[in-house]
Amino acid sequence: MTEPVLQRPQTLWKNLREAGHVSGDYPVQDAPSVWYIKLLLASSGWLAAVFLLGFFALGLEDLLRNETVALIIGMLLLVGAWLLLRAQALNVFASHLALAMSLAGQALMLWPLVEWLGEGSSRFWLALFVLQAALAWIMPDFLHRVFSAAVAAIALAMFLWTQRWYPLPVPLLLFVASWLWLHEFAYPRQLQRIVPIAYGITLGLLLARSFWAFGMNFWTADSSGMDDTTRLPFWLGNVLLTLVIVFVVWRLLQRHGLTWTDRRWQAAMIAALLLGVLSQEVSGISIGMTLLILGFAARNRVLMGIAVAALLYFISSYYYYLGATLLVKSTILVSVGVVCLLLRWVVLRWLQQGVADA
């Protein structure tokens, strides 16, 4: 009877020890905590943070009215959260307590920024972007990095919108997210940073696209930079989205060693270009398809799920968009679906013909 390929951990350790690759006994691992224990510890951490924030709000109420004092205390809370997250034996309670402390510190720092820079001003959004980008890189916690990266992406989009560069934020965020997912394993030492930051920018991208679809004026109190004029033509955004999806497909083909003379390379590039052109009216389709391609290439089911949810959301939100008649929107969506199906059939026939010729 042959030994199975997937051996038991103890057997594998024994074989490695006999081969001289490892030494000592098999390391005994602690059993992971069940989900309800983790939920209880996480809830306890947030409850402790609420009492801590209440202490600052009640005991230091007079001091917190001073912007400088609030800024200093907020920075101290961020430093305390960073030190707590760096602890080696960090449990669920401590990690969520540190996250809540960090959020409280950010809230205390946000008020002085609003008072000094102006609520909704371009300087405020730029300062918020710098703060959250630094926290996303520094804080050694997955959930914290996802949150900070998402807020940083939204703050960057709002800064560009206040500069009247309306078509630029969504393609820029999609390109940054795509670059991170394409280079997920290119920098092993930074893997713990790249993955949560990529998730955060992806979520921030989808939120920014939603803000753009439903209007941004409600999101900022400074309407001076949100007028009808723009420094860039609106069609540039759709062109940049098309270039991003073409770039992603090109990089994936390059990763697999395909050149422009290969039929698969030609078929994939034509399909990507046509997909970008077809989704000009509904730019969310190109965003969702780009994320779906990246998730499929990396075998990342979470990213694929986010992409599918984004596609459903963008298609449904466009269907209820009031800027066009229902007949026009239905015709556009049906046309895009039919052309995509025909494109798939043509590409498969082309590839099969290429294999038969070879």
Side-chain angles (χ1 to χ4, degrees):
M1 182 177 179
T2 59
E3 189 175 3
V5 177
L6 296 178
Q7 303 175 356
R8 294 177 60 86
Q10 294 84 354
T11 305
L12 180 59
W13 182 270
K14 179 181 177 181
N15 295 337
L16 291 174
R17 184 175 57 188
E18 292 176 352
H21 297 296
V22 296
S23 60
D25 297 331
Y26 176 75
V28 180
Q29 299 179 352
D30 297 333
S33 301
V34 292
W35 66 269
Y36 48 85
I37 298 297
K38 292 182 179 180
L39 179 61
L40 179 61
L41 291 174
S43 303
S44 301
W46 282 95
L47 184 62
V50 168
F51 281 108
L52 179 63
L53 185 59
F55 165 75
F56 283 111
L58 297 177
L60 304 176
E61 181 181 0
D62 295 334
L63 291 177
L64 291 180
R65 292 179 180 177
N66 188 304
E67 292 88 350
T68 304
V69 175
L71 181 65
I72 294 175
I73 295 178
M75 294 177 63
L76 292 177
L77 285 175
L78 290 180
V79 172
W82 177 75
L83 293 175
L84 188 58
L85 289 173
R86 286 196 61 189
Q88 297 296 329
L90 188 65
N91 54 25
V92 179
F93 170 82
S95 62
H96 283 267
L97 175 61
L99 178 60
M101 288 177 56
S102 176
L103 293 178
Q106 295 175 49
L108 289 176
M109 294 181 64
L110 194 63
W111 173 53
L113 292 178
V114 171
E115 293 294 328
W116 294 339
L117 303 178
E119 182 181 359
S121 65
S122 59
R123 294 179 299 173
F124 167 77
W125 292 116
L126 182 60
L128 182 61
F129 165 73
V130 173
L131 173 63
Q132 295 298 333
L135 292 177
W137 184 263
I138 295 174
M139 287 295 182
D141 181 73
F142 185 92
L143 187 60
H144 196 299
R145 281 174 170 151
V146 171
F147 172 80
S148 296
V151 177
I154 296 174
L156 178 61
M158 295 304 301
F159 168 74
L160 295 175
W161 281 329
T162 55
Q163 298 299 311
R164 292 181 294 172
W165 292 333
Y166 302 141
L168 190 58
V170 173
L172 177 61
L173 293 177
L174 180 61
F175 174 77
V176 174
S178 302
W179 190 92
L180 290 174
W181 287 120
L182 288 171
H183 297 82
E184 181 180 0
F185 302 105
Y187 307 97
R189 295 183 178 180
Q190 305 298 334
L191 184 62
Q192 294 182 346
R193 287 189 173 99
I194 292 177
V195 173
I197 290 177
Y199 275 118
I201 294 179
T202 301
L203 296 177
L205 161 68
L206 300 180
L207 291 175
R209 178 61 180 80
S210 301
F211 296 154
W212 171 256
F214 293 103
M216 301 88 62
N217 290 332
F218 72 93
W219 194 251
T220 176
D222 183 12
S223 59
S224 61
M226 306 295 289
D227 51 21
D228 295 332
T229 62
T230 176
R231 299 179 181 179
L232 299 173
F234 283 99
W235 55 262
L236 181 62
N238 294 327
V239 173
L240 292 176
L241 286 175
T242 302
L243 293 178
V244 171
I245 190 172
V246 171
F247 166 76
V248 169
V249 173
W250 171 70
R251 286 291 297 162
L252 292 175
L253 294 172
Q254 188 181 46
R255 178 183 298 177
H256 292 281
L258 300 180
T259 60
W260 66 272
T261 58
D262 194 300
R263 277 182 176 269
R264 292 170 293 178
W265 190 96
Q266 299 169 4
M269 292 300 292
I270 292 175
L273 183 61
L274 289 178
L275 179 62
V277 173
L278 290 173
S279 60
Q280 293 293 306
E281 187 68 22
V282 193
S283 60
I285 294 180
S286 59
I287 297 174
M289 288 302 299
T290 304
L291 297 177
L292 187 61
I293 293 172
L294 291 169
F296 180 80
R299 303 296 190 270
N300 189 331
R301 294 184 178 181
V302 176
L303 184 58
M304 293 175 64
I306 294 175
V308 172
L311 281 172
L312 294 175
Y313 168 74
F314 287 134
I315 292 175
S316 60
S317 63
Y318 175 73
Y319 188 78
Y320 291 100
Y321 172 61
L322 300 179
T325 64
L326 188 61
L327 179 61
V328 172
K329 293 181 290 187
S330 302
T331 304
I332 292 175
L333 292 177
V334 171
S335 301
V336 172
V338 171
V339 172
C340 287
L341 291 175
L342 291 175
L343 184 61
R344 178 182 182 273
W345 179 78
V346 171
V347 168
L348 290 178
R349 288 291 300 271
W350 190 5
L351 295 180
Q352 291 174 357
Q353 183 65 33
V355 173
D357 295 340

